[in-house]
């Protein structure tokens, strides 16, 4: 599969979602009509370039002012900037076709969020967009589900932590401490086992991380620990909030992706990726056009995703603050589906 996630090259996985029902087809046509209406400024990704400038300017401003501002003010603002940068990386994977590819990647490559190499994110996220495979563990790279046979093999502590991670409070504060080490350990094991496919990516990423930490230490007298605590961890918390109930199992692929309505504070932070089913239906639609598709075709979208819609993150927090949104055991496996057929 190509890393350029246009619908034209998604093949059967994309077609499985788009052709599954009339509502999906009509939504696709609506998104195409919106995408063809754009100014010169939009064709050259002007809104996204303004966001990129705001992110890096905000990052430098917070580094400059952190010595004079209390941590409890700096941390949420810095977390916003770091998560906003991750949203920009997501946009670079899907859109930003108005600027050269080398510039698109160079613009988002600096690892100010530290933990995830952009090149690996680009590869794994392409697999996530095989819509027929959404939520399946081992197939969907962003799934929080586990196969039943694996779940039975986990110890009681592991199962408890994974259930805590399915609460809103647990996902925000425990989630980063579970997902990040798990990812790093998995990558380290691959390299130690002789799979060197990602070694070059990690070497470049670690050089970039070293340069970022050296930059903030030498120019802004910010230690690595303080940067991780005030910039990186709060950014991960906001990312966990966005992804908390982004996907769930459903019989049809369209029913597996949510919409979370929100205000401009979070909409801009996530570059409207909170209207997630619009993005999965038409992944190359630029971020600033997604709200228009949602506003104009709300009924179509709700028909497509089975009413998997929330009025905001406040509603999600109230429903699942300390209650798991689901037990993360995936209902059917690919193996059982093959046997059944």
């Amino acid at each position: 599969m190509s890393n350029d996630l246009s619908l034209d090259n998604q093949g059967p996985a994309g077609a499985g979602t788009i052709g599954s029902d009339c509502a999906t087809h009509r939504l696709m046509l609506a998104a195409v009509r919106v995408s063809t209406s754009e100014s010169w400024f939009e064709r050259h990704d002007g809104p996204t370039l303004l966001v990129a400038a705001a992110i890096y300017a905000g990052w430098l401003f917070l580094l400059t002012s952190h010595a004079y501002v209390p941590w409890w003010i700096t941390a949420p603002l810095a977390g916003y900037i770091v998560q906003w940068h991750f949203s920009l990386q997501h946009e670079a994977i899907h859109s930003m076709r108005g600027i050269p590819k080398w510039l698109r990647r160079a613009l988002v490559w600096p690892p100010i969020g530290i933990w995830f190499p952009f090149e690996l994110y680009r590869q794994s996220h392409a697999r996530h967009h095989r819509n027929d495979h959404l939520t399946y563990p081992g197939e969907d790279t962003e799934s929080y589900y586990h196969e039943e046979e694996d779940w039975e093999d986990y110890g009681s502590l592991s199962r408890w932590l994974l259930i805590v991670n399915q609460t809103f409070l647990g996902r925000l504060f425990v989630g980063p401490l579970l997902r990040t080490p798990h990812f790093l350990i998995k990558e380290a094991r691959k390299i130690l086992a002789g799979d060197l496919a990602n070694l070059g990516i990690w070497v470049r990423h670690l050089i970039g991380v070293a340069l970022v930490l050296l930059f903030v230490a030498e120019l802004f007298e910010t230690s690595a620990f303080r940067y991780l605590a005030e910039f990186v961890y709060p950014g991960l918390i906001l990312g966990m909030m966005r992804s908390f109930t982004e996907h769930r199992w459903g019989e049809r692929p369209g029913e597996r992706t949510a919409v979370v309505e929100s205000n401009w504070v979070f909409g801009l932070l996530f570059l409207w990726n909170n209207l997630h089913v619009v993005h999965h239906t038409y992944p190359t639609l630029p971020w600033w056009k997604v709200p228009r598709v949602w506003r104009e075709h709300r009924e179509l979208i709700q028909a497509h995703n089975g009413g998997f819609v929330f009025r905001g993150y406040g509603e999600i927090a109230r429903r699942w603050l300390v209650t798991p949104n689901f037990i993360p055991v995936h209902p059917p496996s690919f193996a059982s589906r093959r046997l059944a057929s």
Side-chain angles (χ1 to χ4, degrees):
M1 176 178 174
S2 168
N3 287 324
D4 289 336
L5 300 177
S6 65
L7 287 173
D8 291 338
N9 58 31
Q10 279 196 5
T17 302
I18 295 166
S20 61
D21 53 50
C22 181
T24 310
H25 181 66
R26 289 167 62 197
L27 174 58
M28 175 60 196
L29 292 177
V32 169
R33 284 195 294 271
V34 170
S35 70
T36 58
S37 174
E38 51 187 18
S39 64
W40 180 93
F41 182 68
E42 291 174 329
R43 285 198 304 273
H44 292 83
D45 292 292
T48 308
L49 293 174
L50 288 179
V51 165
I55 288 170
Y56 289 114
W59 184 63
L60 292 172
F61 174 77
L62 289 171
L63 286 170
T64 302
S65 64
H66 84 279
Y68 314 102
V69 177
W71 69 267
W72 49 269
I73 294 178
T74 297
L77 295 175
Y80 192 100
I81 290 294
V82 168
Q83 179 56 36
W84 204 10
H85 183 263
F86 188 77
S87 298
L88 182 68
Q89 290 183 323
H90 177 265
E91 186 71 11
I93 292 171
H94 290 282
S95 192
M96 293 176 66
R97 297 304 190 262
I99 61 177
K101 181 181 292 187
W102 69 267
L103 180 58
R104 183 165 75 238
R105 295 185 180 179
L107 193 65
V108 301
W109 184 84
I112 68 173
I114 301 297
W115 80 280
F116 203 93
F118 171 68
E119 294 167 89
L120 280 188
Y121 176 43
R122 182 169 55 85
Q123 292 176 12
S124 68
H125 195 65
R127 292 188 62 197
H128 171 66
H129 269 267
R130 300 176 304 166
N131 289 329
D132 284 346
H133 294 242
L134 279 174
T135 74
Y136 282 98
E139 298 291 337
D140 178 3
T141 56
E142 298 178 22
S143 176
Y144 280 90
Y145 284 94
H146 301 261
E147 296 286 10
E148 184 176 358
E149 52 269 30
D150 294 330
W151 183 263
E152 295 298 327
D153 290 337
Y154 297 157
S156 56
L157 177 60
S158 294
R159 288 197 294 267
W160 178 79
L161 283 172
L162 290 172
I163 291 173
V164 167
N165 195 41
Q166 291 304 123
T167 70
F168 188 74
L169 198 62
R171 179 67 62 84
L172 262 59
F173 296 102
V174 178
L177 304 178
L178 292 178
R179 195 167 184 85
T180 306
H182 174 77
F183 169 73
L184 296 176
I185 290 169
K186 180 181 177 181
E187 285 294 309
R189 283 176 175 170
K190 286 172 61 176
I191 292 173
L192 292 174
D195 183 352
L196 305 181
N198 295 335
L199 183 59
I201 292 174
W202 278 107
V203 169
R204 291 189 292 274
H205 178 70
L206 291 174
I207 291 173
V209 167
L211 290 173
V212 167
L213 294 179
L214 183 65
F215 177 78
V216 301
E218 293 298 320
L219 271 69
F220 303 102
E221 299 182 350
T222 303
S223 68
F225 175 81
R226 186 168 183 178
Y227 185 77
L228 292 173
E230 293 187 8
F231 284 73
V232 177
Y233 184 61
L236 289 172
I237 289 174
L238 289 171
M240 292 291 155
M241 182 180 77
R242 177 188 56 78
S243 64
F244 174 69
T245 190
E246 205 166 59
H247 296 286
R248 69 178 181 191
W249 161 250
E251 288 292 340
R252 293 190 302 108
E255 296 174 345
R256 301 173 197 168
T257 306
V259 163
V260 182
E261 298 179 299
S262 194
N263 53 40
W264 269 92
V265 173
F266 290 116
L268 192 59
L269 170 62
F270 301 134
L271 296 183
W272 299 109
N273 199 29
N274 49 298
L275 305 176
H276 204 52
V277 74
V278 179
H279 168 65
H280 266 266
T281 303
Y282 193 67
T284 58
L285 189 68
W287 64 270
W288 64 89
K289 295 184 177 181
V290 171
R292 177 181 166 187
V293 173
W294 168 244
R295 288 193 308 269
E296 295 182 357
H297 306 283
R298 182 185 180 118
E299 291 184 2
L300 278 177
I301 295 167
Q302 290 190 82
H304 169 62
N305 82 339
F308 189 15
V309 177
F310 301 95
R311 293 184 63 84
Y313 292 101
E315 177 189 346
I316 293 169
R318 287 190 298 271
R319 291 178 64 175
W320 294 302
L321 187 68
V322 293
T323 302
N325 60 346
F326 56 78
I327 302 300
V329 180
H330 202 273
S333 66
F334 274 105
S336 64
R337 291 205 310 174
R338 285 196 296 269
L339 288 173
S341 62

